Amino acid sequence: MSEIYVIHENPSWLAPLAEALSAEALPWTEWFMHNGSFDLAAPPPEGVFYNRMSASSHTRDHRFSAELTAGVLAWLKRWGRIVVNGPAALDLEISKVRQYAALEASGLRTPRTIMVAGRDQIVPAAFAHFAGEPVILKPNRGGKGLGVQLFHTLEGLKEHVESDSYIEPVDGIQLLQTYVRAPRPVVTRAEFTGRRFTYAVEVDTSEGFELCPADVCAIGELACPVGKVSGKPVHKFTIVEGIDARLRSQLEAFLERAGVDVAGIEFIIGEDGQPLVYDVNTNTNYNPEAEARAGIAGTPRSGMGALSAYLGRRLAEPRSRAA
Ligand SMILES: Nc1ncnc2c1ncn2[C@@H]1O[C@H](COP(=O)(O)OP(=O)(O)O)[C@@H](O)[C@H]1O
Ligand SMILES: [Mg+2]
């Protein structure tokens, strides 16, 4: 029987999707991508393959899951299978540098970024490009905000890079990036399903910038739905009606051009009022508390509701059953 195959490496991120797929009574199965063997000469099963491999998989002791998935996706494509978030999506998921190239090629602006390989190259590059400015250090292969740090001075950056707490990025590439000051202390993550806008969530960054719009609070994070600023409760994640229409169509065009089907795209509105896009997440999670407050939890307008409906439509395509 033709089914939906969910390619992933993190069981706790799978639970909300499992619930939504089951609610739609869609046949599905999981492919846990940590180890295993694949006969490349044999055809894969019939169905729709949905890739949810995450850039942060290496932080869960799955160092080679992304590499294994790249091979599996190539095999699926070679056999003509329908793949949602195929090789092009994985390619962007694991490299911010490649994200930025693709975003800029679609006319979207990204923060000024210097790519650095080599621990001893970071400080000289920072002095050459960010003298007198705050700077952000982030790994090229990111996820969950891990390793993303803001330095107000380059002396602070130097101290960190020379310290024992410095962590070498998994692909050897660090990014030095302009710290975007947002007049309104929010970042926005716009969610897209089937390359179309689903909704956006605003993340309050007044407590600190190192937040991750979905992942921090997305899964069973009922413990942290509400933060506190000066003792006052503040909702960190708020679903907003929409985003600027021009930006929305530019982001949809970017997904079309890049061949990415499902994504959460993060941007900040800078001091000049223009959006700067800094993160494309192809393995997207949704914030259940914000969805509940917006009255869309468990409906087709929720993130997982829209996603499972989309996967169901792809499964109904004749090609998913063709030999
Ligand atoms: N250039 C920047 N200026 C200001 N804040 C930033 C910038 N880059 C990242 N951030 C903040 O840090 C968080 C994590 O960075 P991000 O690039 O999304 O890394 P990750 O891929 O780990 O999610 C963002 O959600 C945002 O709040
Ligand atoms: Mg992010």
Side-chain angles (χ1 to χ4, degrees):
M1 187 184 70
S2 180
E3 15 177 6
I4 296 163
Y5 292 84
V6 182
I7 294 173
H8 78 106
E9 58 71 51
N10 187 353
S12 57
W13 285 349
L14 188 65
L17 176 61
E19 206 175 297
L21 290 170
S22 302
E24 298 251 346
L26 288 165
W28 72 281
T29 208
E30 64 173 296
W31 275 10
F32 184 74
M33 219 36 90
H34 171 48
N35 48 27
S37 64
F38 296 83
D39 178 356
L40 302 181
E46 302 301 338
V48 167
F49 294 81
Y50 170 39
N51 157 41
R52 276 176 72 78
M53 186 45 52
S54 159
S56 62
S57 47
H58 61 282
T59 66
R60 287 176 291 276
D61 279 339
H62 299 148
R63 168 62 188 87
F64 298 114
S65 288
E67 285 75 7
L68 175 62
T69 301
V72 168
L73 297 182
W75 171 62
L76 294 171
K77 292 299 275 187
R78 172 256 177 271
W79 284 96
R81 294 294 177 267
I82 294 175
V83 183
V84 172
N85 275 0
L90 180 63
D91 193 59
L92 295 192
E93 172 72 15
I94 61 171
S95 171
K96 283 200 168 57
V97 170
R98 298 201 288 268
Q99 288 174 21
Y100 296 167
L103 288 161
E104 296 272 349
S106 289
L108 289 150
R109 288 173 62 221
T110 60
R112 188 163 63 101
T113 303
I114 307 295
M115 169 170 66
V116 187
R119 184 171 179 173
D120 61 350
Q121 304 291 310
I122 297 171
V123 173
F127 275 95
H129 297 278
F130 295 97
E133 295 171 41
V135 68
I136 286 177
L137 180 70
K138 61 168 84 171
N140 179 50
R141 182 157 157 184
K144 300 197 302 178
L146 288 172
V148 179
Q149 273 173 281
L150 168 64
F151 295 95
H152 289 286
T153 66
L154 297 190
E155 287 68 30
L157 171 73
K158 183 170 186 290
E159 206 172 294
H160 169 69
V161 171
E162 290 170 358
S163 75
D164 291 342
S165 57
Y166 176 80
I167 297 171
E168 202 62 63
V170 68
D171 66 354
I173 297 174
Q174 287 281 23
L175 307 180
L176 288 164
Q177 189 169 89
T178 296
Y179 171 52
V180 183
R181 287 172 206 277
R184 255 185 86 218
V186 295
V187 297
T188 308
R189 173 157 162 154
E191 301 290 356
F192 296 83
T193 318
R195 307 184 185 182
R196 293 288 168 268
F197 179 78
T198 309
Y199 66 63
V201 60
E202 276 189 0
V203 185
D204 185 323
T205 54
S206 48
E207 271 188 312
F209 92 108
E210 202 175 327
L211 284 168
C212 169
D215 306 295
V216 164
C217 275
I219 303 302
E221 294 286 277
L222 303 168
C224 78
V226 182
K228 284 214 165 118
V229 172
S230 317
K232 251 181 34 212
V234 168
H235 291 289
K236 276 201 169 82
F237 302 86
T238 305
I239 289 173
V240 292
E241 279 292 302
I243 56 171
D244 174 75
R246 182 162 175 268
L247 176 61
R248 173 184 165 154
S249 54
Q250 275 183 308
L251 291 170
E252 287 177 344
F254 155 72
L255 294 173
E256 206 63 55
R257 184 181 166 139
V260 175
D261 305 302
V262 181
I265 305 182
E266 297 173 26
F267 62 86
I268 313 182
I269 308 288
E271 272 163 343
D272 61 359
Q274 295 305 309
L276 287 157
V277 184
Y278 62 86
D279 192 18
V280 176
N281 305 274
T282 65
N283 167 42
T284 197
N285 288 307
Y286 308 98
N287 187 287
E289 188 271 336
E291 288 193 346
R293 234 171 334 110
I296 59 172
T299 76
R301 286 164 59 226
S302 69
M304 284 305 176
L307 179 58
S308 53
Y310 170 67
L311 292 172
R313 288 197 298 276
R314 299 302 309 266
L315 188 63
E317 286 176 19
R319 204 153 61 85
S320 80
R321 288 185 292 272

